[in-house]
Amino acid sequence: MSDATTPEPPPKTTLTVTIDGRATEADPGELLIAHAEKVGTYIPRFCWHPRMREVGMCRMCLVEVDGPRGPSLQPACMLPVNEGMKVVTDSPTVKKAQDGVLEFLLVNHPLDCPVCDKGGECPLQDQTLSFGPGESRFVEEKRHYEKPISISDLVLLDRERCILCDRCTRFSKEVAGDPLIHFVNRGNRTEVNTFPDDPFSSYFSGNVVQICPVGALTASPYRFTARPWDLDQVESTCTSCAVGCRVVLQSSGDRVTRTQGVDSDAVNWGWLCDKGRFDFENIGSVDRLTNPKVRKAAGVAAQDATWFEALERAASVLRNTPAEQVGVIGGARLTNEDAYAWAKLLKGMLRIDNVDAQLGDGLSAQFIVGTPQATIGDIAGASAVILLSPDVKEELPVLFLRIRDAAHNKRVPMVELAPKATGLSRYVRQSLVYRSGEAGVAARALVAAVAGTPADRQIAGVEADLINSAAATISNALTSGKGNGNVVLVVGRTSLAETAQSIEDAAHVLLDAPFGASKKVLHACRRSNVRGAIDMGLAPGMLPGRVSLAQGLDWFSTEWGAVPMLPGKDTAAMLRAAANGELKALVLLGADPLTDFPDHVIAEAAFAAVPNIVAIDLFDTPSTDRASVVLPASGYAEKSGTVTNLEGRVSLATAKVSGPGVARPDWMIAVELANRLGHDLGFESVEDITAEIARVAPAYLTMTAATAGGNGALTPIAGAIDAANESLAATTAAEPDAHGTTSDVAEGGDTRLDDDADSVESVESVESPSVRTVPPLVTAAAPTLAVSVPQPDSYSLRLVVGHVLYDDGTLVSHSPSLAKLAPGDGLHLHPGEIERHGLSRGGQVNVVSQRTAVMLTVVENEAVARGSAFVPFGQVGGAAAALLDADELQASGIVKIRLETVAE
């Protein structure tokens, strides 16, 4: 007799559930209300939302479920499916229950649908018509409140409309972590409201307006501006930051009136930050540039001109200036197609490589595209997450929501390294607040502790027990079995008063650490489409598709006819060169260096010295005011194309309204300039550019508008590069001389870049490959740091400079609802530092740097470490940019300040 036993069958992965007599397959643990909707049966609801915890408050979703004692009414939003479950959603009993719920909801709900902003898209209105009794037995006077009341600068509350569904309060507490709106009072007097003197000052307040099932919460920028049946809409991608949230753009009369979030599982889950939701106001601003401008003579204001005159003047600047004396700054505002057209013109036709989409406030392009790429979704499935980034709540708010969810709800262990506490500090296991400039020192101490050498003293301003505790968190997380030992690093510029090289050094220390099965980086880029601009080649030493000049020389010389032979300068180097008279022309692609470059002194010196400036922008800015040619461009919602978010996901940006005046898309301006310079870019439409990108940009091979639809697509497309190489090999085998050699294609080129782009060698010494292949993608190398950070002293403070959500930037300042929310300049100090320096909270202090002195208001802020001071960047007055000294930063790795008290 055999000892073998019959193996047990594998567990069933789906359940059979019968809904209204129809058998369906459901996933274990799925809520009945969600499963029913998935298979085509809508169960009415008010309180339930798929992205929040179920509470079963409204009882609108009652259905009949068979049980041991026969059918019983149960709330579908609280009921997980189980095997053999039988559900009836349309029986007389269910109908009577729905009638009763709606009748009671309407006892005090006002019948002001004709004037209510929710009328026409109101779930209560719709479900009353679909499921309600048709008439009410109640004739008593309804309750009345003062209406509306303002619970924040952006949200209004009509209390008598509220049906107490708990959606707004749950979102604020569970999703945003801002429990600022609550149920108050009891019984018949229960209402939603805020605490006295504590407004609903959340960065995510607009979401409660979108999820409110009635008109209780309305957005002040939209209130009484349009009716739902007047609106036309398209799906698009938000470009207020680099997260790339999916949105719906709604317009009436060729004017954008509202932005709503779309539930993209990969990115934003339907949520938006208030900046992304309400900065649509700048699209229709009366301050938009509507006509080209040309400056006739030095010292004279630029005057309106025709496109012909302005393009001829811009072409003359580029035609008469040697390539090495031209600098091009900006590009993050552009779509991928815009950026590619400009890259082809600048690098392929004019051979200019002094091109940089960043304004000295990010990390190097090689690091961004050359380190292993993580997705937003990877965070929730990681064994551990290490944050070496700016305050994502301020700079990338919806990414903050996703990271918070992973830490708070999914219990993913996280460790933070930052020069000041951030919005995520209360959710991570340990927050290591290091002294500014010493990120690499703190990272090495953490890695050593994980490897078994615990810290025995304070390192980089972080206490030893905190370092060791953080190391234990990582070690325990990696041995827990969850996440397969994968580690995600969220990396970005932590402070503008700390060098990019310092952060990249710390990131490479963590990437090279001997722990974790794999490590990937989610790049905390701040500017909207900066990742796409870099991917399209708007970075020094880079070509489209995440390829270096060295590796892409042959490929793009064949495709374009020529490429630059040497890497160019980044923005900081360009501005220094311009100030020294080495650059004779600047081209600004939606950039305002006089406002946005961290060191205003260098930017001002550059603009004072350079004789020719060509600016393509949406608004007049301090930089366009100095330009000799200003070209008006179409902006967000006025042109179509694709954008690439911080995880490398390509999605569609869609035109909804017309641009103002005679503004043109940026790609069209590039094509027109090329024509006047004797070149043909070969583009007649956005679709032409998308097709060429998909053909020649290695990381974007096979990418199409259809691929980028919906949730978008991650680049590089899986298998696309291998398939292209196989196709090229087959073509070469059939026609070995089809493409010729590259040595006589690179016009006038007598040198060739080597792989590390630091040296050159004779073209003739390099053999042309027998088989043409797609060039490899960039791999980032660790930077070589030559800066020795000074020791701390008792007389100075280390400056920390970062962005906050609302600033005095071009787009926010032209959005009236948001412009008033910018906090303004201030010196943020730890309470202990305020006491040590004998300062008063709210008083004035003279802040002295190596370069200048500014007067600032003292702000108490416990998030700032002792020995440091925080100043927000981009506020009215520009104190941060005045204090930042790029030369001091380059020499010592930090910026130091001292405080002088002001006599009363």
Side-chain angles (χ1 to χ4, degrees):
M1 184 176 180
S2 171
D3 291 335
T5 59
T6 303
E8 294 184 4
K12 189 176 181 181
T13 57
T14 59
L15 306 173
T16 301
V17 178
T18 301
I19 300 178
D20 295 334
R22 179 165 58 98
T24 63
E25 295 294 317
D27 298 324
E30 194 173 15
L31 289 175
L32 175 58
I33 192 170
H35 171 67
E37 185 169 6
K38 186 171 70 175
V39 298
T41 299
Y42 180 80
I43 300 174
R45 80 294 298 262
F46 293 115
C47 68
W48 183 75
H49 189 281
R51 293 297 184 185
M52 293 188 289
R53 178 177 56 87
E54 60 277 4
V55 290
M57 291 187 66
C58 72
R59 289 313 201 230
M60 189 64 201
C61 66
L62 289 172
V63 294
E64 278 194 297
V65 181
D66 262 354
R69 298 183 181 179
S72 62
L73 286 173
Q74 298 189 45
C77 73
M78 300 290 290
L79 195 62
V81 296
N82 56 61
E83 179 62 33
M85 176 184 280
K86 294 183 179 180
V87 181
V88 178
T89 68
D90 55 1
S91 69
T93 302
V94 171
K95 175 64 175 172
K96 184 176 181 180
Q98 293 170 346
D99 286 353
V101 170
L102 287 167
E103 190 173 18
F104 275 110
L105 285 177
L106 293 172
V107 167
N108 275 303
H109 191 85
L111 302 180
D112 58 353
C113 302
V115 297
C116 176
D117 268 334
K118 202 72 172 182
E121 58 181 5
C122 174
L124 178 59
Q125 190 180 65
D126 295 342
Q127 292 179 42
T128 298
L129 295 174
S130 299
F131 304 99
E135 61 181 348
S136 174
R137 292 168 290 177
F138 294 93
V139 295
E140 290 77 12
E141 180 74 9
K142 298 179 185 292
R143 68 165 60 106
H144 300 280
Y145 290 107
E146 174 190 354
K147 66 189 302 282
I149 61 172
S150 175
I151 59 174
S152 78
D153 291 294
L154 298 168
V155 179
L156 303 172
L157 171 63
D158 291 86
R159 288 170 290 174
E160 71 278 8
R161 296 176 185 168
C162 179
I163 61 172
L164 305 180
C165 69
D166 200 24
R167 278 189 172 193
C168 58
T169 55
R170 276 182 292 150
F171 171 84
S172 302
K173 180 179 180 180
E174 298 173 14
V175 179
D178 297 327
L180 301 171
I181 184 169
H182 293 268
F183 288 130
V184 299
N185 301 327
R186 308 186 75 172
N188 188 46
R189 287 296 178 183
T190 302
E191 64 181 64
V192 164
N193 216 322
T194 59
F195 291 116
D197 302 319
D198 193 3
F200 186 38
S201 54
S202 171
Y203 285 170
F204 310 99
S205 64
N207 292 288
V208 303
V209 175
Q210 182 172 341
I211 64 176
C212 179
V214 291
L217 294 166
T218 53
S220 54
Y222 175 75
R223 190 176 173 98
F224 300 142
T225 62
R227 301 312 300 260
W229 49 84
D230 294 327
L231 298 177
D232 187 36
Q233 67 181 38
V234 295
E235 281 199 26
S236 189
T237 303
C238 177
T239 58
S240 296
C241 75
V243 175
C245 299
R246 293 296 294 165
V247 298
V248 164
L249 293 173
Q250 298 180 334
S251 68
S252 176
D254 203 34
R255 180 174 63 91
V256 175
T257 56
R258 185 167 63 172
T259 303
Q260 299 278 65
V262 171
D263 195 331
S264 169
D265 190 65
V267 184
N268 60 313
W269 289 358
W271 313 130
L272 297 177
C273 71
D274 286 350
K275 181 178 178 180
R277 185 179 295 275
F278 298 119
D279 70 357
F280 69 85
E281 291 178 318
N282 67 68
I283 298 171
S285 172
V286 296
D287 297 327
R288 286 286 300 276
L289 289 170
T290 57
N291 291 288
K293 295 181 181 180
V294 172
R295 188 184 306 279
K296 304 292 185 180
V300 178
Q303 301 295 319
D304 285 353
T306 65
W307 269 104
F308 178 85
E309 183 181 5
L311 287 170
E312 284 294 330
R313 178 72 176 273
S316 175
V317 169
L318 295 175
R319 184 185 301 113
N320 298 318
T321 309
E324 65 275 9
Q325 295 181 11
V326 178
V328 183
I329 299 174
R333 177 184 59 75
L334 313 184
T335 64
N336 291 339
E337 286 73 15
D338 292 332
Y340 181 86
W342 273 99
K344 187 174 182 180
L345 169 62
L346 297 168
K347 298 195 174 190
M349 305 300 178
L350 305 179
R351 302 182 70 177
I352 297 169
D353 199 61
N354 296 326
V355 180
D356 193 2
Q358 301 188 88
L359 272 76
D361 54 3
L363 303 178
S364 70
Q366 288 74 17
F367 178 86
I368 291 171
V369 303
T371 43
Q373 180 175 285
T375 67
I376 295 173
D378 287 339
I379 293 173
S383 292
V385 175
I386 301 176
L387 304 168
L388 178 65
S389 66
D391 191 337
V392 293
K393 187 173 184 180
E394 298 287 350
E395 301 197 20
L396 302 162
V398 174
L399 178 61
F400 162 80
L401 296 183
R402 294 295 302 269
I403 297 175
R404 180 190 179 276
D405 176 76
H408 187 66
N409 297 325
K410 297 180 175 61
R411 303 297 181 187
V412 177
M414 296 188 184
V415 172
E416 176 184 62
L417 287 86
K420 65 178 284 289
T422 71
L424 283 169
S425 295
R426 59 181 170 144
Y427 301 109
V428 301
R429 301 289 175 87
Q430 282 82 30
S431 181
L432 309 183
V433 179
Y434 62 83
R435 283 192 297 261
S436 179
E438 300 184 42
V441 177
R444 286 176 173 84
L446 176 62
V447 169
V450 175
T453 306
D456 58 1
R457 58 185 174 82
Q458 186 189 80
I459 300 175
V462 185
E463 297 298 333
D465 59 342
L466 283 177
I467 296 172
N468 296 332
S469 177
T473 293
I474 295 172
S475 298
N476 294 337
L478 295 177
T479 57
S480 67
K482 296 181 180 179
N484 300 316
N486 296 323
V487 178
V488 173
L489 310 178
V490 181
V491 181
R493 189 76 172 270
T494 57
S495 166
L496 298 182
E498 184 170 6
T499 64
Q501 291 81 5
S502 172
I503 303 304
E504 291 177 24
D505 171 57
H508 279 286
V509 168
L510 296 169
L511 282 170
D512 298 337
F515 59 74
S518 73
K519 301 184 192 71
K520 295 181 179 180
V521 178
L522 184 64
H523 300 95
C525 308
R526 186 182 70 87
R527 296 181 182 276
S528 56
N529 193 36
V530 67
R531 182 71 188 265
I534 292 171
D535 280 359
M536 294 301 105
L538 296 186
M542 297 293 296
L543 291 168
R546 301 176 199 162
V547 174
S548 69
L549 282 178
Q551 296 286 4
L553 178 65
D554 291 329
W555 179 268
F556 280 95
S557 291
T558 301
E559 295 293 343
W560 287 355
V563 291
M565 301 308 297
L566 291 172
K569 299 176 175 64
D570 64 9
T571 296
M574 280 189 269
L575 293 176
R576 284 193 177 93
N580 294 332
E582 298 168 20
L583 293 188
K584 302 302 182 183
L586 287 177
V587 178
L588 308 178
L589 300 178
D592 180 14
L594 287 177
T595 299
D596 290 341
F597 186 71
D599 188 328
H600 279 188
V601 172
I602 289 179
E604 178 59 40
F607 274 67
V610 71
N612 294 299
I613 300 172
V614 177
I616 298 97
D617 217 319
L618 308 178
F619 293 91
D620 278 321
T621 68
S623 296
T624 64
D625 289 343
R626 310 281 280 275
S628 47
V629 183
V630 180
L631 303 176
S634 302
Y636 177 64
E638 297 166 354
K639 59 185 177 181
S640 294
T642 60
V643 293
T644 305
N645 79 344
L646 49 76
E647 57 182 348
R649 185 180 304 278
V650 181
S651 57
L652 296 178
T654 311
K656 186 68 200 72
V657 295
S658 305
V662 294
R664 297 181 180 180
D666 295 83
W667 70 266
M668 193 178 294
I669 297 173
V671 169
E672 292 283 354
L673 273 176
N675 289 339
R676 282 163 173 77
L677 293 168
H679 300 287
D680 182 5
L681 294 184
F683 306 136
E684 294 184 358
S685 67
V686 170
E687 291 73 21
D688 290 343
I689 309 175
T690 305
E692 182 165 319
I693 293 171
R695 181 175 60 82
V696 306
Y700 285 67
L701 294 181
T702 74
M703 174 62 66
T704 65
T707 310
N711 286 334
L714 286 172
T715 50
I717 304 295
I721 294 177
D722 291 340
N725 280 329
E726 291 175 7
S727 176
L728 287 168
T731 302
T732 304
E735 301 179 65
D737 297 322
H739 297 287
T741 61
T742 61
S743 59
D744 53 8
V745 177
E747 301 170 4
D750 59 356
T751 56
R752 173 189 294 274
L753 290 162
D754 68 6
D755 287 347
D756 61 11
D758 288 328
S759 62
V760 293
E761 57 181 287
S762 169
V763 169
E764 287 75 17
S765 68
V766 181
E767 295 183 1
S768 297
S770 58
V771 177
R772 184 168 179 257
T773 59
V774 177
L777 307 186
V778 165
T779 301
T784 301
L785 291 179
V787 174
S788 177
V789 178
Q791 291 296 312
D793 59 65
S794 301
Y795 306 101
S796 63
L797 299 172
R798 294 193 182 185
L799 186 63
V800 177
V801 175
H803 292 272
V804 294
L805 185 62
Y806 305 119
D807 55 22
D808 191 41
T810 302
L811 299 186
V812 171
S813 63
H814 289 92
S815 300
S817 298
L818 301 181
K820 59 188 177 184
L821 302 180
D825 276 333
L827 184 73
H828 295 244
L829 295 172
H830 188 277
E833 288 296 340
I834 294 177
E835 297 297 332
R836 184 170 77 89
H837 286 84
L839 304 174
S840 59
R841 296 157 182 81
Q844 296 290 300
V845 63
N846 197 34
V847 184
V848 183
S849 71
Q850 180 174 288
R851 168 184 287 163
T852 189
V854 295
M855 194 75 69
L856 290 175
T857 301
V858 176
V859 180
E860 182 178 332
N861 190 341
E862 292 188 353
V864 182
R866 298 290 295 266
S868 297
F870 173 75
V871 178
F873 188 82
Q875 301 298 312
V876 175
L883 293 169
L884 282 170
D885 185 336
D887 294 329
E888 179 187 4
L889 189 60
Q890 190 175 47
S892 62
I894 59 172
V895 174
K896 298 169 70 174
I897 60 171
R898 56 187 176 84
L899 308 182
E900 294 179 350
T901 56
V902 180
E904 294 292 338

